[in-house]
Amino acid sequence: MYYKALFMEEKNQQPAETLKDIKQIMERSSRFISLSGLSGIAAGTCALIGAWVGWKSLDGYYGSYNSRGIFSGDDFSALKIKLAGLAIIVFIVACASSFYFTWLRTKKQGLPLWDHTSRRLLWNMLVPLSAGAAFILAMLRYDEWRFVAPSSLIFYGLALVNASKYTLSDIRYLGYCEIILGLVNMLFIGYGLYFWATGFGVLHIFYGTIMWFKYERSPLSPKGGT
């Protein structure tokens, strides 16, 4: 009787395990589930370092004004070039570090990094990001710096929400937070660097940590968000 009961229990478990396997296969085919929480932590750390360097540059510029009582057009042009170069460097390093940790996770899972789901994910992120980049460049053309930080947060948030259909659903909530933060920043012009550091730095580290504990701390399994 014992062996018969054990056999019946195993037999009843098989359909549930089969359904679980089918669900995992469907998630793999429709979502890129290999995003690493460490990618968010690394990107957030890069953003905070960049924000600190940018703050030091601005502090030095305004400190020079306080000591001389005059703004120099040459100094301002140099500051713009320095900040633009800093933003490019932070973006490249953050993307490279995010790619590296995601690549490590896909390798550990035995899944391809570049397939139709990752291509769809990338495309759905690039459309809002490209529109946002064009909008910001247009503002910079007319020396309108006040709304650069909130615009970057809003368009980045839209990109995350748009791409969340093809990856872990946690990304959607990060996108909502970025959008809300950008909208609030529009009401507090002059504090863009602090909002920028909060959105791209603190929120990335916070959500990256949550994703790592949720999906990567335990033995790795091909699990996705819902």
Side-chain angles (χ1 to χ4, degrees), residues 171-188:
I171 299 299
R172 182 185 306 118
Y173 303 107
L174 175 59
Y176 292 152
C177 291
E178 300 284 358
I179 294 171
I180 293 171
L181 195 64
L183 293 174
V184 173
N185 186 192
M186 295 181 70
L187 302 176
F188 297 94

Side-chain angles (χ1 to χ4, degrees), residues 2-219:
Y2 171 77
Y3 292 106
K4 183 177 180 180
L6 182 62
F7 173 77
M8 292 300 295
E9 182 179 353
E10 292 179 351
K11 186 176 180 180
N12 291 333
Q13 289 177 348
Q14 288 178 357
E17 292 176 354
T18 302
L19 289 174
K20 183 178 178 181
D21 292 339
I22 293 174
K23 181 181 178 182
Q24 291 174 349
I25 293 172
M26 292 177 65
E27 286 177 340
R28 287 183 182 182
S29 64
S30 62
R31 292 189 176 194
F32 184 74
I33 59 176
S34 299
L35 286 180
S36 174
L38 296 178
S39 298
I41 296 173
T45 302
C46 292
L48 287 179
I49 294 173
W52 180 80
V53 175
W55 178 79
K56 294 293 289 184
S57 299
L58 289 171
D59 187 57
Y61 175 74
Y62 286 106
S64 175
Y65 166 75
N66 290 332
S67 63
R68 294 182 301 171
I70 186 173
F71 277 124
S72 169
D74 293 337
D75 290 344
F76 186 60
S77 298
L79 176 66
K80 289 193 293 184
I81 294 174
K82 184 176 182 179
L83 292 177
L86 175 65
I88 293 172
I89 292 173
V90 170
F91 179 78
I92 292 174
V93 175
C95 287
S97 60
S98 298
F99 174 84
Y100 174 72
F101 286 113
T102 299
W103 172 77
L104 285 181
R105 190 170 186 221
T106 57
K107 185 178 180 181
K108 188 174 182 180
Q109 288 178 312
L111 298 174
L113 177 63
W114 186 247
D115 56 12
H116 70 284
T117 54
S118 57
R119 287 194 294 269
R120 286 191 296 180
L121 169 65
L122 181 62
W123 175 253
N124 278 269
M125 282 201 70
L126 282 179
V127 172
L129 285 179
S130 299
F135 180 76
I136 290 172
L137 288 175
M139 286 195 298
L140 294 180
R141 180 186 176 188
Y142 298 103
D143 287 328
E144 182 54 72
W145 288 78
R146 293 175 298 174
F147 295 99
V148 169
S151 297
S152 62
L153 289 167
I154 291 171
F155 279 101
Y156 178 63
L158 291 172
L160 292 178
V161 173
N162 196 47
S164 64
K165 301 185 295 289
Y166 303 104
T167 186
L168 302 174
S169 62
D170 306 71
I171 299 299
R172 182 185 306 118
Y173 303 107
L174 175 59
Y176 292 152
C177 291
E178 300 284 358
I179 294 171
I180 293 171
L181 195 64
L183 293 174
V184 173
N185 186 192
M186 295 181 70
L187 302 176
F188 297 94
I189 298 302
Y191 297 92
L193 187 61
Y194 299 100
F195 280 89
W196 195 90
T198 302
F200 293 110
V202 176
L203 283 182
H204 267 143
I205 294 174
F206 177 72
Y207 271 87
T209 303
I210 290 177
M211 290 175 65
W212 186 85
F213 273 95
K214 187 174 180 180
Y215 299 109
E216 299 174 66
R217 182 182 60 166
S218 57

